[in-house]
Every structure is written in C-alpha cells, then in structure tokens.
C-alpha cells in the first residue's frame, strides 16, 4: 500500500502536475484560493469519516474514472452489473474512506505540507516536462482538463496526498526485516525436494461398467446446473476502421517510394561506417593538415601532432541518420573506404575525417515491400476520414436506419451472428467471428433488443452493434445431453477408483513396505524426481502433485491428483535448503519484498484502528445512487 501511495503522485493527481514554472506556481498559490471545485453541496453523503464527508459527486467521479481506466486497460465495456459483481463500488468507496481516514489523522496530528514542497513535487514531476526538459504549462493545463480539476483544486488534492504519504511513511516507511523472516522466505523459495513415485492411470481403474438408467438420472439430477444451456443472443455488428476504408491502388509509386526512403531501416540494415575524426581550432590549421596528407603524411601522424590518442581518434560506427552533424555525415558517407576527407566545417569546428570500414546496406528492395507500403499510406489517409464517416453514420442511426442499410450505403461489412453466449461461443462451442469480439459480446450482454447502443471505440475506428434476439438460459433434459452425462459419469467413477487405490497404496508405504513392491503389485513403474521446486511441474508430475510433495514430511508418503485422469503415489526421500547469503541481490530483493508486505500490513492495521477511533458510516443507498445502482 505504501508503494501504491507513493505512485499516487505519478497518477491521477501526479499526472496532472508538472508544467508550471516554479516561480509562477508559488505566486499563484497566493491568488488561487482553494476549494473552488469542492464548494458544491451534494444532495446526500455517501460516507462520513470523523468530520469529513464523502459526497455522492466525489464518489461518482471516482467510480466513473475507475470504470474508464479498467475499460481502457482491458479494451472492453464493463457494465454496471459486472462492476458491482466485481465489487468495484465497494472498492472505490473504501479507497475514498482510506484517504479520508489518513487526512483526518494528519490534521489531528497537525501535519502540513508547505507551498514550497507542493510546488517542488509539481515542477519535478517528469510527466509534465516538455521535450526540452523544462516545465510546460500547456501540458499541465491539459492534464487538469482531463481529470476535471482546476489549479486550486489540484493543489489542494496534491497537498492532502503528500500529507497522507508522510503519515504512512512515518508508520511503515523504514522497517527492519527480522532475520527469522528472511530465513523463512529463503526456506520457502529455495527448498528443493526429491521423491520416489508411481503413477496410477485411467487404465488401472479396471473396467467401469456402463451406468444404469437410474444411476445416470441420479448423476444428472445432482449436476443439472453443469449441463444448463447458456443464454444466447443474436448480434449484428458493423465496423469502421482505416483498413476497411483504405484504397492502396490510389497511392502513387512516388508516394510509396518516398515512404520507403523514410523507413528503409524497417526493411533491413542501412549502411554503417566506422569513422575517425581529428578536430582543429581553425580552418587554416585544418587546411595545413590536409596538405600534409596530400604530401604523404599519415592520418595517425596528424593525430599525433594534435595530441589525439588512438582512442580519441575513433569517432565510432554510425548510420547516416545516427550522426548528429549532418555536414560531417554527408562527407563521411561520400568517402571511399580508407580515404581521408578535405577540411569540413562541422558544428563544433573544422575536422578531418577518415572512413576505416564500410558495412554495406542490406535492405529489401522497394518492389518486395511496395504493396505493404501502399497499404500503410492508404490506411493513414483513411484514418483522417474516420471521424467524418462516424458522424454520418450516427446521423443515419438517429434517423432509425437499420445497420444493414447503413452498411450497404457506406460499403461496410455487416456481420450477423444468430447465437453467441457470454463467452463468445456459438451453439457448437466454437468462437464466433465478430469485430472486436470480446468487447462486442460483453456490450451486447449488457444491452437489450431495440436499444440504441453507443458505438464502441476501437484502436483504429468504431464498431456499431445491435441485439436482435435473446434466447434465455434454460435447463436441458437428460436426453439432450445423455452422451455428455455418460462421459462425465465414467470420468467420475475412474477418479473415485484411482483415489481409493492411491489411498490404499499410501497406507502400505506408511507401514514400511518398499515402494518397488507396491508399484509392482499395482502394475506401475517406480520413478524418481529430484530438484523439485514449489509451484513448478517437473518431468511427468504436475505442479499440483509437486506442491503436495512439499506438504508431506521427509520419509512420509502421500498421493495427489496428477492431471485429469491420473494420480501420483509418492514417498518424499529428501529436502535441502541452501543457507541464506544476505549479501546477494536475490536476498536483497527478498528482503525488499518482505519489507513491502510488512509495511502494507502495518498500514492496514493502522488504518483499521483509526477508522474505529474516528467512526466511519457508509450510506449504501447513496452509494448505489452514485454508482448507478439506484436512481
């Protein structure tokens, strides 16, 4: 949590920060005033924390921002129902309560952050520095607009966030991790085990007779929900993107060749040259050195006269584009290998050059990539038409024109799926073919028949969709799924028999019988697994079976599932733990991991106690109003 709080200065609050010049920012503190965005009195209160109230508007804004963030992260539409199922509403209000708890405690303790510290945190945030490394006020103002904050409101939030962070760091900012904890983590992460084992397979379960009608019906009745038909929806979708609008045939060869020259590095390796350079304080001295070269002097002797060491003589190996001084680049890439240049007026004074090695370019010819280049140029041109066509389609939609007619008029592809479930599968269990399938399916299941849905924004355009039919989820009868039920019944019987057999073999091993004798009687082969690590499969043992081996003491036996139709019976033969060497990077990383975990626990306990001391009340009805659960 402490690490997350530090990151807060780089996110919604922090990302709206660094573009005011330091002096201007300090002056503006005196004239801004604060609270201009917090003056509105909400109709109701979602939570009260001591003397602090969390309003419906504050909660709604935080909830909306989190929904949008998750939508961008997963490139999908998250419906209010899904958000509530994930507990997003409770998570948002708990985060707001936590901030309020720390802010209340900071005020109670008299903690404050000076204008200078707030200003420093703002101007030192790299997110708001321009290409020149200086503060850029335009970036700052754009960030504030993106999060709907004024300067004064932002400064107040930043000041409060810094005070909360200082309090949290005082609680858990510099924790000494006990050696015992580091040794325990070292033991858990580095312990290695060995075991002798045998595998029981489905073939060892003996013949499983076919189920009787009564057995099959009973098995089905106990598991009806597993065989239930899901809800299906009929969906029509139409996409608009640059690829659909692009017309590569309209791109001229000249335009394609121009793009080729710009992007040659994309299609292979450009020419590279290894260059030596001697600099001179004046053009006259450079001319004199050039004349000496013409008279037979070597490049090395000229360098020695200038006290240029062999190391300093080497400028490096570059492509033409990598060289900063274009005059030097032009001269260097016009020389023959081994040749020295005439004096060149470089950016940093006169120079003489010599090319010692040339690596020729290895680039695919234009003809091989012409089609891709035309498609690329055409797609870029088409991208500029997206918003115009989007607006035209929205006008047609507003006039109640069907998607099929719009697609025909605009020359776009219409996709009609007669049935898709919430997982994007048709009735045969195969994935459906829709544009932006995951996003469209989720959005369709959050919509209804006849709803005028908003177009979904994609990375390259838009997708419009309509729900044209709904087939409700229903229980299937046994006749519809008889084969599936019979297969699952048999698998269940095999698993039960293998588990029973494994328990019997394990008991015999525990009584001292040799694993070889037990395996021979079971018709299995004894195998040995060494260097086993937690949570990792090894050889033909699954991670689940390996973890079970770590749960049994050395010298003891056990058994575990080993995949869908097998079971492992084992005896642990050894366990080794390397000593903890505290000076290694791995040990330092582990210590930092523990420090973070302990710090989070301390902060959570501290917040829980302060919440109890201050008193926290949450109005669930107002929370539902803020998050769209109740109008």
């Amino acid at each position: 949590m402490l690490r997350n709080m530090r990151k807060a200065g780089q996110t919604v609050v922090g990302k709206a920060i660094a573009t005011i010049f330091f002096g201007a920012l300090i002056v503006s503190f005196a004239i801004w005033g604060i609270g201009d965005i917090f003056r509105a009195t909400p109709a109701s209160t979602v939570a009260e924390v001591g003397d602090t109230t969390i309003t419906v508007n504050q909660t709604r804004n935080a909830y909306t921002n989190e929904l949008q963030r998750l939508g961008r992260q997963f490139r999908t539409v998250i419906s209010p129902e899904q958000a509530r199922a994930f507990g997003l509403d409770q998570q948002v209000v708990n985060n707001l309560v936590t901030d309020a708890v720390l802010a209340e405690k900071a005020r109670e303790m008299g903690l404050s952050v000076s204008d200078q510290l707030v200003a420093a945190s703002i101007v030192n945030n790299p997110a708001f520095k321009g290409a020149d490394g200086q503060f850029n006020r335009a970036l700052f103002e754009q960030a504030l607009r993106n999060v709907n904050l004024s300067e004064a409101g932002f400064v107040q939030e930043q000041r409060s966030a810094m005070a909360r962070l200082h309090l949290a760091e005082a609680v858990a900012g510099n924790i000494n991790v006990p050696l015992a904890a580091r040794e325990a983590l070292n033991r858990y992460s580095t312990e290695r085990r060995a075991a002798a084992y045998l595998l029981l397979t489905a073939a060892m379960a003996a013949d499983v007779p076919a189920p009787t009608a009564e057995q099959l019906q009973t098995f089905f009745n106990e598991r009806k929900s597993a065989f239930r038909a899901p809800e299906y929806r009929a969906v029509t979708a139409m996409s608009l993107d640059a690829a659909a609008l692009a017309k590569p045939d309209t791109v001229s060869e000249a335009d394609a060749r121009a793009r080729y020259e710009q992007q040659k590095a994309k299609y292979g390796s450009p020419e590279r040259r290894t260059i030596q350079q001697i600099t001179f304080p004046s053009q006259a001295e450079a001319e004199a050195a050039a004349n000496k070269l013409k008279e037979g002097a070597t490049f090395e002797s000229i360098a020695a006269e200038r006290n240029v060491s062999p190391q300093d003589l080497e400028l490096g190996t570059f492509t033409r584009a990598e060289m900063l001084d274009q005059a030097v680049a032009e001269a260097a890439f016009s020389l023959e290998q081994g040749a020295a240049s005439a004096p060149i007026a470089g950016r940093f004074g006169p120079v003489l050059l010599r090319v010692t090695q040339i690596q020729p370019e290895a680039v695919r010819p234009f003809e091989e990539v012409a089609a891709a280049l035309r498609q690329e140029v055409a797609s870029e041109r088409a991208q500029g038409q997206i918003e115009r066509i989007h607006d035209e389609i929205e006008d047609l939609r507003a006039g109640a024109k069907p998607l099929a007619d719009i697609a025909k008029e605009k020359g776009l592809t219409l996709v009609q799926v007669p049935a898709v479930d919430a997982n994007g599968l048709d009735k045969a269990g195969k994935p459906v073919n829709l544009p932006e399938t995951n996003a469209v399916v989720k959005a369709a299941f959050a919509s209804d028949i006849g709803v005028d849905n908003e177009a979904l924004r994609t990375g390259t355009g838009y997708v419009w969709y309509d729900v044209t039919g709904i087939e409700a989820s229903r229980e299937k009868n046994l006749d519809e799924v008889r084969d599936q039920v019979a297969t699952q019944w048999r698998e269940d019987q095999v698993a039960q028999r293998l588990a029973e057999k494994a328990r019997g073999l394990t008991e015999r091993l525990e009584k001292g019988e040799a694993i070889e004798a037990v395996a021979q009687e079971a018709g299995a082969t004894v195998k040995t697994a060494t260097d086993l690590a937690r949570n990792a499969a090894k050889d033909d043992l699954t991670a689940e079976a390996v973890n079970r081996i770590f749960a049994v003491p050395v010298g003891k036996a056990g058994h575990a599932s080993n995949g869908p139709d097998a079971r492992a019976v084992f005896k642990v033969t050894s366990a080794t733990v390397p000593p903890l060497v505290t000076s290694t990077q791995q040990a330092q990383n582990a210590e930092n991991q523990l420090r973070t975990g302990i710090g989070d626990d301390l902060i959570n306990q501290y917040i829980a106690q302060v919440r109890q001391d201050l008193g926290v009340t949450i109005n669930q009805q107002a929370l539902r109003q803020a998050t769209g659960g109740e109008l």
Side-chain angles (χ1 to χ4, degrees):
M1 178 177 286
L2 185 57
R3 180 170 54 191
N4 291 338
M5 292 182 71
R6 291 191 182 110
K7 285 182 179 178
Q10 304 292 328
T11 54
V12 174
V13 171
K15 285 182 180 176
I17 319 183
T19 320
I20 307 171
F21 292 90
F22 186 83
L25 184 61
I26 293 298
V27 171
S28 57
F29 282 147
I31 62 175
W32 273 341
I34 58 175
D36 58 319
I37 66 164
F38 304 109
R39 288 182 185 138
T41 302
S44 59
T45 298
V46 171
E48 294 182 353
V49 182
D51 295 331
T52 299
T53 60
I54 298 172
T55 68
V56 167
N57 285 340
Q58 286 174 295
T59 307
R60 182 181 292 117
N61 289 339
Y63 181 76
T64 301
N65 288 338
E66 185 65 8
L67 268 182
Q68 292 173 347
R69 185 189 70 80
L70 291 174
R72 289 191 298 269
Q73 179 180 346
F74 297 108
R75 292 194 63 198
T76 189
V77 176
I78 300 176
S79 69
E81 293 77 12
Q82 290 172 321
R84 280 191 292 276
F86 298 151
L88 188 64
D89 51 351
Q90 298 298 327
Q91 177 186 328
V92 166
V93 75
N94 280 330
N95 288 342
L96 292 173
V97 166
T98 295
D99 286 349
V101 163
L102 291 174
E104 280 280 310
K105 194 64 179 177
R107 281 195 293 271
E108 178 186 318
M109 299 172 68
L111 297 180
S112 63
V113 180
S114 69
D115 290 350
Q116 289 78 9
L117 282 177
V118 175
S121 74
I122 291 174
V123 298
N124 290 327
N125 189 318
F128 299 94
K129 292 182 180 180
D132 59 356
Q134 300 298 315
F135 303 116
N136 186 315
R137 185 174 180 82
L139 288 177
F140 175 69
E141 292 176 343
Q142 179 61 47
L144 294 187
R145 287 193 294 270
N146 289 342
V147 292
N148 296 318
L149 281 175
S150 68
E151 290 178 348
F154 169 73
V155 170
Q156 181 179 347
E157 285 203 5
Q158 181 68 358
R159 192 190 305 275
S160 179
M162 292 179 69
R164 295 195 301 267
L165 178 58
H166 291 332
L167 175 57
E169 287 185 328
V171 173
N174 188 19
I175 295 171
N176 182 32
V177 180
L179 178 61
R182 286 181 278 161
E183 288 178 337
L185 181 58
N186 175 68
R187 185 180 307 112
Y188 180 86
S189 60
T190 64
E191 180 183 0
R192 296 295 180 264
R193 290 198 169 197
Y197 68 96
L198 59 96
L199 295 180
L200 301 178
T201 64
M204 299 176 185
D207 292 334
V208 178
T212 65
E214 183 179 352
Q215 287 175 318
L216 204 60
Q217 186 67 57
T218 300
F219 186 84
F220 173 71
N221 291 342
E222 293 172 349
R223 297 164 176 80
K224 273 188 177 181
S225 60
F227 300 101
R228 186 179 180 87
E231 177 182 322
Y232 288 100
R233 297 201 167 197
V235 179
T236 299
M238 177 186 73
S239 65
L240 170 69
D241 58 27
L245 297 177
K247 294 181 173 54
D249 294 342
T250 64
V251 178
S252 68
E253 181 173 338
D255 288 344
R257 282 191 179 276
R259 177 61 59 90
Y260 177 73
E261 292 300 325
Q262 293 171 3
Q263 300 183 348
K264 263 192 176 181
K266 213 169 115 179
Y267 302 108
S269 303
E271 180 182 337
R272 299 176 68 85
R273 294 192 169 205
T274 301
I275 303 166
Q276 294 177 330
Q277 174 179 283
I278 304 173
T279 60
F280 296 86
S282 68
Q283 183 70 18
E285 290 182 73
E287 293 284 357
N291 290 332
K292 289 182 180 180
L293 289 174
K294 291 177 183 178
E295 294 169 358
T298 65
F299 207 72
E300 288 78 8
S301 65
I302 299 296
E305 288 179 10
R306 303 293 308 166
N307 293 320
V308 178
S309 68
Q311 295 80 10
D312 293 337
L313 184 62
E314 299 294 331
L315 183 62
T317 302
F318 307 95
T319 66
R320 185 191 296 263
E322 288 172 343
M323 299 191 70
L324 295 177
D325 192 328
Q326 287 306 302
V328 173
E330 288 298 325
F333 276 80
S334 63
L335 291 172
E336 297 291 335
Q337 183 168 324
S341 71
I344 302 161
R347 290 173 59 184
F348 306 106
V351 297
L352 291 181
L353 304 176
R354 183 171 68 171
V355 175
T356 59
Q357 185 178 2
I358 298 176
Q359 302 172 24
E361 71 175 5
V363 180
R364 294 168 64 191
F366 169 76
E367 290 71 21
E368 284 187 20
V369 296
L373 286 165
R374 284 191 169 93
Q375 180 65 47
E376 182 180 314
V377 173
S379 295
E380 287 184 6
R381 291 176 179 175
Q383 191 66 45
Q385 306 175 43
I386 294 290
E387 296 304 324
R388 175 180 60 79
I389 299 175
H390 164 270
D391 294 343
E392 292 173 357
I393 291 174
E394 285 297 316
D395 289 342
L396 294 172
R397 293 274 285 174
K401 196 162 192 174
L403 272 184
D405 294 346
I406 296 174
K408 186 175 180 180
E409 179 178 327
K410 295 297 181 181
L412 301 174
T413 301
L414 187 75
V415 179
Q416 295 176 299
V417 173
V420 59
D421 67 15
N423 295 315
L425 304 177
D426 61 18
K427 290 189 175 181
K430 297 179 180 179
V432 299
N433 183 21
L434 281 167
E436 299 291 334
T437 301
N438 291 339
V440 170
V441 168
K442 286 186 178 180
F445 273 80
S447 183
D448 207 339
I449 298 172
V451 173
D452 185 14
N453 302 298
E454 291 285 338
L456 301 180
R457 189 73 165 94
T458 69
T460 57
Y462 296 90
V463 176
W464 287 264
Y465 66 95
D466 284 332
V467 179
T468 57
I470 297 177
E471 184 180 322
S473 174
R474 65 178 179 84
E475 287 187 353
K476 295 182 179 179
N477 58 53
L478 179 57
D479 289 337
E480 291 180 271
V481 291
R482 186 175 297 276
D483 291 343
Q484 298 174 43
V485 175
T487 298
Q488 190 167 324
W489 181 88
R490 187 182 186 284
E491 292 173 352
D492 190 67
Q493 290 295 306
V494 168
Q496 289 183 30
R497 291 186 180 202
L498 291 181
E500 195 173 309
K501 190 169 187 176
R503 279 193 294 270
L505 297 178
T506 301
E507 289 175 1
R508 292 170 59 183
L509 292 175
E510 285 289 88
K511 291 177 181 178
E513 289 192 51
I515 192 169
E516 291 77 11
V518 171
Q520 184 176 8
E521 186 175 326
T525 303
V526 176
K527 300 181 180 182
T528 301
T530 59
D531 198 34
L532 296 173
R534 282 185 173 87
N535 304 315
K538 181 74 181 294
D539 300 331
D540 51 7
L541 290 174
T542 64
E544 180 184 357
V546 170
N547 285 343
R548 182 61 188 157
I549 289 172
F550 275 86
V552 173
V554 175
K556 296 294 184 179
H559 63 93
S561 173
N562 196 64
D565 56 357
R567 201 154 192 94
V569 178
F570 59 85
K571 186 171 185 178
V572 182
T573 56
S574 70
T576 59
V577 180
L580 172 64
V581 180
T582 58
S583 60
T584 65
Q585 184 62 50
Q586 183 178 1
Q588 187 61 53
N589 292 342
E591 182 176 351
N592 292 338
Q593 179 184 346
L594 283 169
R595 182 176 290 108
T596 299
I598 295 171
D600 287 351
D601 286 345
L602 282 174
I603 291 175
N604 288 333
Q605 292 177 33
Y606 179 78
I607 290 172
Q609 183 61 53
V610 176
R611 282 182 67 149
Q612 182 176 335
D613 294 343
L614 292 173
V616 175
T617 59
I618 297 177
N619 184 336
Q620 293 295 335
Q621 182 177 355
L623 175 60
R624 287 192 294 272
Q625 177 186 345
T627 58
E630 179 180 294
L631 298 178

